[in-house]
């Protein structure tokens, strides 16, 4: 990419943000930050108990991710964040206006299957319905690309990088 954007890898739980994010960051030669690491302990406890987060819970988390993205502005980076609602993405953009979204999406059955296979993650499959109910896909006015999560992680990352390059080329 010609300009070092900060990419926010977004999508519902189980789309592979934690797997695809580092692969994309590596291909772009920029650092990766795991969005889950920005959660306060109370959020992790809540999700581990199968309780969905509310907007108040997400506020400090989004602010911390936004601060990381702002710090990386002009130097590039990739960070994962579900960023399910437009309001969440607007909050991120208020702190880091140049972010570019990489929306990972796919068939619910595939995502649920992948979630069920994960080991040691605090997000239970039971919360997937709430994730899909909350999801507001990025609008045409939001900078970014959407990539389907069918295939291997390497295939998904390759499609993501190609889509980001194509977006960058189209923006001139």
């Amino acid at each position: 990419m010609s300009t070092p954007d900060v990419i926010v890898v977004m999508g519902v739980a189980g789309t592979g943000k934690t797997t695809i994010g580092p692969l994309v960051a590596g291909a772009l030669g920029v650092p990766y930050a795991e969005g889950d690491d920005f959660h306060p302990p109370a959020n992790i406890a809540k999700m581990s108990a199968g309780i969905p987060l509310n907007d108040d819970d997400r506020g400090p988390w989004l602010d911390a991710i936004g601060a990381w993205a702002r710090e990386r502005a002009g130097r590039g980076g990739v960070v994962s964040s579900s960023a399910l609602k437009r309001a969440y993405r607007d909050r991120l953009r208020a702190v880091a206006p140049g972010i570019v979204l990489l929306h990972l999406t796919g068939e619910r059955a595939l995502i649920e299957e992948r979630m069920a296979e994960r080991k040691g993650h605090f997000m239970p499959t039971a919360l997937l319905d709430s994730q899909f109910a909350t999801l507001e896909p990025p609008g045409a006015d939001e900078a970014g690309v959407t990539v389907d999560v069918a295939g291997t992680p390497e295939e998904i990352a390759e499609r993501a990088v190609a889509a980001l390059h194509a977006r960058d080329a189209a923006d001139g």
Side-chain angles (χ1 to χ4, degrees), residues 107-168:
E107 296 288 328
R108 188 193 188 292
L110 174 64
I111 294 167
E112 185 172 17
E113 178 183 316
R114 289 182 178 170
M115 279 185 79
E117 293 172 358
R118 294 195 301 194
K119 304 283 185 251
H121 196 278
F122 58 80
M123 177 69 84
T125 346
L127 290 182
L128 189 55
D129 287 336
S130 73
Q131 293 266 299
F132 274 107
T134 302
L135 176 64
E136 296 171 3
D141 62 329
E142 293 183 86
V145 298
T146 298
V147 174
D148 188 271
V149 297
T152 67
E154 294 75 18
E155 291 167 340
I156 299 162
E158 187 176 305
R159 285 195 309 270
V161 170
L164 290 164
H165 281 303
R167 178 204 164 275
D168 193 45

Side-chain angles (χ1 to χ4, degrees), residues 9-73:
V9 183
M10 63 159 290
V12 299
T15 53
K17 297 179 294 292
T18 298
T19 301
I20 304 308
L23 294 173
V24 170
L28 298 176
V30 296
Y32 171 74
E34 170 54 52
D36 287 341
D37 293 344
F38 294 91
H39 275 297
N43 284 9
I44 293 173
K46 197 170 183 179
M47 289 182 286
S48 295
I51 302 167
L53 299 180
N54 60 38
D55 289 351
D56 290 337
D57 297 326
R58 286 188 182 93
W61 174 66
L62 291 166
D63 292 343
I65 291 171
W68 185 89
R70 181 184 63 237
E71 178 184 307
R72 297 295 318 160

